[in-house]
Amino acid sequence: MILLDLIKQLIDLCPNPYSDSWVIDGGCHHGHFSREIITSLQPSNILSFEPDRDSFAKAKMNLDSISNVEIVNAAIGSEKGTAEFFRGPYSSTNSLLQRPEAKSKQYYPKDAVLEGGTFVDVVTLDEECACRGITALDLLKLDLQGAELSALIGAKNLLSSGLVKVILVEAVFVKKYKDQPLLWELWRHLEEYGYTLYSLEQIKIGIYDPDESGLRSMQWNQCDAIFISKKIREHLDR
């Protein structure tokens, strides 16, 4: 996978002073990205999170035979507790956030309606890493369908330490969920901890409606944003 090859090159700029290398896969869905991480980055340990019960079961099936992967059936947020979870026909779009109020045209599939009524456990990255003795991460990947900023708020200690080398976060240019942060909000938050933007990858354009053309069909929709730590930046720009 080209994206992970790029991330590996960034990680390798700054050798790991610890014997164990950790990767967090936030929003692992069915576990496919965690599998790709094992092949591409070869970390000592992967800690994956998936709140949806059905997706968690599929991830367990796909990853159970791999000893260095732990999957937690919980959402990641700013504080520990429980929260309502919104589910729909496409499991990859299930979220802690509702769809936005229908005051303007949507930027997601028309049939991707979400319904509440399900409640899930919510954990913080700081607490989950502290209880496992995780002090450094090669990669923090967050694909949380709008809850990325909340997860980063709950990772204050990790981010303050600067020991997360690379952060890969799904970011949007237009809101697809109620109160969803846009790219600039994630960028601003991470810059407070010394993380800088490296690149925008896998930019998706359009509105998921093949029948609609014109300017909206050329709207930047979402991307994967790569942020790097101060140490990686120093090695990169020497």
Side-chain angles (χ1 to χ4, degrees):
M1 186 178 185
I2 296 173
L3 178 61
L4 283 175
D5 290 342
L6 171 60
I7 289 172
K8 184 175 186 337
Q9 290 180 61
L10 290 170
I11 290 170
D12 288 345
L13 286 174
C14 190
N16 192 345
Y18 302 92
S19 58
D20 284 345
S21 58
W22 283 83
V23 167
I24 286 181
D25 183 359
C28 75
H29 196 223
H30 296 163
H32 300 309
F33 191 76
S34 288
R35 271 193 170 276
E36 290 172 352
I37 289 171
I38 292 165
T39 302
S40 299
L41 304 185
Q42 299 179 338
S44 304
N45 303 282
I46 298 178
L47 180 59
S48 300
F49 296 88
E50 175 52 53
D52 183 76
R53 59 177 182 262
D54 295 336
S55 294
F56 172 77
K58 290 181 180 178
K60 285 282 287 181
M61 187 184 305
N62 289 329
L63 299 171
D64 240 6
S65 61
I66 306 171
S67 60
N68 62 337
V69 179
E70 178 186 356
I71 314 172
V72 179
N73 187 197
I76 309 170
S78 58
E79 58 184 27
K80 188 175 182 179
T82 59
E84 188 171 14
F85 193 62
F86 299 88
R87 308 175 80 231
Y90 305 106
S91 60
S92 61
T93 68
N94 295 346
S95 176
L96 290 173
L97 305 182
Q98 304 178 57
R99 290 298 190 189
E101 297 176 4
K103 293 181 180 179
S104 58
K105 290 184 178 180
Q106 63 197 31
Y107 285 90
Y108 53 89
K110 291 180 179 179
D111 57 346
V113 178
L114 300 179
E115 295 184 359
T118 299
F119 288 82
V120 298
D121 292 330
V122 180
V123 298
T124 70
L125 288 173
D126 277 345
E127 290 180 350
E128 293 297 301
C129 287
C131 73
R132 292 169 177 82
I134 301 172
T135 56
L137 293 173
D138 281 349
L139 172 65
L140 170 58
K141 170 259 187 181
L142 297 174
D143 182 353
L144 306 176
Q145 302 305 303
E148 290 82 8
L149 182 57
S150 179
L152 291 170
I153 291 171
K156 179 180 178 180
N157 295 338
L158 274 175
L159 297 177
S160 297
S161 72
L163 294 176
V164 183
K165 290 184 181 180
V166 177
I167 298 172
L168 174 67
V169 57
E170 184 179 76
V172 298
F173 305 100
V174 287
K175 293 183 185 289
K176 300 191 228 181
Y177 299 91
K178 186 177 180 181
D179 300 322
Q180 181 177 19
L182 299 177
L183 168 63
W184 69 266
E185 295 171 269
L186 299 173
W187 190 344
R188 180 180 64 182
H189 183 80
L190 286 169
E191 279 206 329
E192 292 177 4
Y193 294 94
Y195 286 85
T196 54
L197 182 68
Y198 176 78
S199 66
L200 303 179
E201 305 292 332
Q202 302 185 139
I203 297 171
K204 294 182 180 178
I205 299 173
I207 54 177
Y208 301 98
D209 186 350
D211 296 326
E212 184 170 344
S213 59
L215 290 175
R216 282 209 332 132
S217 67
M218 294 182 280
Q219 164 71 54
W220 280 24
N221 190 310
Q222 70 179 53
C223 68
D224 290 328
I226 297 177
F227 292 87
I228 55 177
S229 68
K230 284 182 180 179
K231 288 185 178 180
I232 296 291
R233 174 61 66 187
E234 289 169 1
H235 282 272
L236 183 70
D237 294 343
R238 278 178 180 171

